[in-house]
Amino acid sequence: MKIAFVGKGGSGKTTLSSLFIRHLAAQQAHVVAVDADINQHLGAALGLDEQEAGELPAMGAHLPLIKEYLRGTNPRITSAEKMIKTTPPGEGSRLLRVREDNPVYDACARTVRLDDGQIRLMATGPFTESDLGVACYHSKVGAVELCLNHLVDGPDEYVVVDMTAGSDSFASGMFTRFDMTFLVAEPTRKGVSVYRQYLDYARDFGVALKVVGNKIQGPDDLGFLRDEVGDDLLVAVGHSDWVRSMEKGRPPRFAELEEPNRAALRTLRQAADASYARRDWVRYTRQMVHFHLKNAESWGNAKTGVDLAAQVDPDFVLGEQAAQFSAPQPA
């Protein structure tokens, strides 16, 4: 399952996504975690020290490698330079799988060992000095979007993405790439404003959205969220001494997380797992093509000098069956 954590800045989405990742790892699930927030805090939340977090490879810096690998033998893509962040897979493309080893993971992922398991961690990478004043954030997350467009995941496989704050993800089609989106909201008017934005933008695309209440201090906070988001409120998370210790860099073993918060994480996994039965690969592929054509017309054709609509394979549907026939890895 592909799962996004979103919310306004300071809502606690990175903390909650890291707790969910730890919960999955403790259950021996197969997890690829992606830090798609320019502030790059997920590594630290998963226990990396400052040096280790700073040494994570930036996906954006490896975009040429990612494109060349995913292109495979797809005859509709004449070169990696003609691929953009929305280029969809077709016959001959290489697809990514959660459990495999491949050149993309070799270059962009690092294994992070947690108390009771391990995960792969990938990061978009922060702005560099050369980016300041000339690059937009969305050029960084293009590598994430391209990988998600070529990724096939099955049961007990999880791709957990800590997204950029607010509604910035709607500047691309990446918000449609997930089986479940958990929106982390504080019990304040600002906390629920991002929820309303997501609800409005996502309504026409069938995005599965559930609200996770955070920083809940009592019945009044919980009642406020219920009044504001209704049945979309899935679960609420309260104060955590474990999280406070983690934020100081001294986390206890994950097994010592408070039981009410462990129960909330179990609810999140149940919701994510239930989304597997509802996934629609045909719609997923159609949405991928929709955003590719929009980007091609808006800027992609001018940038690459070719008609990017020709990259669309009308007979291709991404899915677990397609993964059996993708191009082999390079020798």
Side-chain angles (χ1 to χ4, degrees):
M1 277 64 68
K2 292 179 280 287
I3 301 153
F5 279 81
V6 301
K8 79 173 187 66
S11 64
K13 67 179 181 61
T14 297
T15 297
L16 281 171
S17 61
S18 72
L19 291 177
F20 186 61
I21 290 164
R22 289 177 184 269
H23 174 71
L24 293 174
Q27 302 299 312
Q28 305 304 306
H30 302 275
V31 182
V32 173
V34 182
D35 191 343
D37 191 332
I38 198 65
N39 292 312
Q40 303 286 281
H41 294 314
L42 184 58
L46 290 170
L48 300 185
D49 61 33
E50 185 174 343
Q51 179 177 343
E52 291 170 327
E55 292 174 350
L56 288 172
M59 294 178 69
H62 294 282
L63 191 55
L65 179 151
I66 293 171
K67 289 180 177 180
E68 187 61 49
Y69 178 76
L70 297 179
R71 183 171 73 96
T73 59
N74 187 337
R76 295 176 179 272
I77 305 172
T78 57
S79 70
E81 289 75 18
K82 303 303 182 184
M83 294 178 72
I84 62 173
K85 64 180 183 177
T86 55
T87 295
E91 184 178 354
S93 295
R94 291 193 185 96
L95 304 179
L96 300 175
R97 301 161 185 79
V98 170
R99 305 191 197 193
E100 69 179 1
D101 294 319
N102 60 53
V104 174
Y105 291 153
D106 290 344
C108 302
R110 293 295 179 264
T111 298
V112 176
R113 289 175 173 79
L114 304 172
D115 290 346
D116 302 306
Q118 63 183 36
I119 61 144
R120 277 179 168 140
L121 175 60
M122 306 172 74
T124 60
F127 271 122
T128 64
E129 185 175 346
S130 62
D131 295 322
L132 298 178
V134 297
C136 79
Y137 169 75
H138 301 100
S139 66
K140 295 290 184 181
V141 299
V144 179
E145 187 169 356
L146 192 60
C147 285
L148 290 176
N149 281 353
H150 288 74
L151 188 140
V152 176
D153 52 304
D156 200 36
E157 296 178 341
Y158 300 84
V159 180
V160 182
V161 182
D162 181 22
M163 297 282 278
T164 182
S167 56
D168 281 358
S169 61
F170 290 104
S172 75
M174 199 159 71
F175 74 97
T176 66
R177 302 296 84 200
F178 302 101
D179 298 295
M180 176 60 66
T181 296
F182 292 129
L183 190 146
V184 181
E186 300 169 84
T188 64
R189 286 188 298 175
K190 287 185 178 179
V192 298
S193 64
V194 175
Y195 160 76
R196 294 199 180 97
Q197 286 180 302
Y198 246 86
L199 198 64
D200 289 342
Y201 291 143
R203 182 177 290 113
D204 294 336
F205 294 93
V207 172
L209 179 68
K210 289 294 181 183
V211 174
V212 181
N214 194 28
K215 305 179 184 179
I216 304 299
Q217 297 184 6
D220 185 65
D221 285 347
L222 193 59
F224 172 83
L225 279 180
R226 284 190 176 131
D227 289 343
E228 294 294 325
V229 308
D231 292 340
D232 283 340
L233 180 62
L234 177 66
V235 71
V237 179
H239 173 78
S240 172
D241 289 331
W242 192 98
V243 169
R244 181 62 60 87
S245 296
M246 180 269 288
E247 290 175 341
K248 293 176 181 177
R250 301 192 295 267
R253 289 191 61 81
F254 184 65
E256 298 178 31
L257 181 71
E258 303 86 355
E259 174 53 32
N261 292 329
R262 294 178 68 84
L265 295 175
R266 290 194 293 270
T267 299
L268 293 184
R269 183 172 183 180
Q270 289 168 0
D273 288 348
S275 70
Y276 180 78
R278 299 191 299 270
R279 57 172 39 183
D280 183 345
W281 287 108
V282 172
R283 184 183 69 184
Y284 188 87
T285 305
R286 184 174 64 246
Q287 290 174 344
M288 188 191 317
V289 169
H290 168 78
F291 283 105
H292 178 62
L293 295 177
K294 286 189 67 174
N295 278 267
E297 183 178 355
S298 176
W299 59 271
N301 289 346
K303 180 177 181 179
T304 62
V306 298
D307 180 7
L308 294 175
Q311 294 180 343
V312 176
D313 184 342
D315 299 320
F316 182 86
V317 175
L318 186 67
E320 292 172 63
Q321 184 175 2
Q324 301 174 21
F325 303 102
S326 67
Q329 290 194 31

